[in-house]
Amino acid sequence: MPHVLPQIPDIVDEIIIVDGHSLDNTVATAGKLCPRAHIIYQEGKGKGNALRTGFTYANGDIVVTMDADGSMNPDEIVRFVEVLKSGYDFAKVRGLYATEGQMMLPGIDCLGIGRWR
């Protein structure tokens, strides 16, 4: 989480953290790193349930999900939003690879409902 929250770009209007009742100070750490984040406690179990929980509370027209482990660079949020604003309905990371100690995005797959670009 310390590698993710401080890096979230200013274009993000809302940050929702779904906590699965962790015992590792996740909530306290999130509060210190990002006081504007909304902490939601997961009622079910698993990542799928955590995503559904976050979607329920999200207010934006565009939702970007990411794990707190740093496997996605928050700077890439801007690229996702640009793709979606250009008319695509869905965008996801094609794959990650490591180079020089950093995770890199080789590309973003995009899907437009009823059309392909």
Side-chain angles (χ1 to χ4, degrees):
M1 192 176 336
H3 305 290
V4 175
L5 287 177
Q7 303 294 328
I8 293 179
D10 292 336
I11 67 163
V12 175
D13 295 329
E14 178 180 45
I15 299 170
I16 298 172
I17 298 171
V18 179
D19 179 65
H21 303 281
S22 59
L23 302 175
D24 63 356
N25 293 323
T26 295
V27 174
T29 301
K32 288 178 186 173
L33 292 172
C34 189
R36 69 186 182 108
H38 303 281
I39 309 293
I40 308 298
Y41 293 96
Q42 182 178 0
E43 292 182 19
K45 292 183 180 181
K47 184 172 182 175
N49 178 267
L51 289 169
R52 285 188 297 278
T53 300
F55 293 150
T56 299
Y57 286 91
N59 292 306
D61 292 330
I62 295 175
V63 177
V64 176
T65 65
M66 52 190 313
D67 293 338
D69 64 1
S71 59
M72 178 185 160
N73 182 344
D75 292 334
E76 296 297 333
I77 291 172
V78 174
R79 285 181 62 200
F80 279 95
V81 172
E82 287 172 356
V83 165
L84 295 168
K85 284 187 172 182
S86 75
Y88 289 101
D89 299 299
F90 178 79
K92 70 175 186 70
V93 174
R94 182 180 312 152
L96 294 172
Y97 65 93
T99 179
E100 298 179 26
Q102 293 186 327
M103 297 305 283
M104 304 296 291
L105 288 174
I108 295 177
D109 287 336
C110 308
L111 170 65
I113 303 302
R115 67 189 184 281
W116 289 94
R117 293 189 185 173

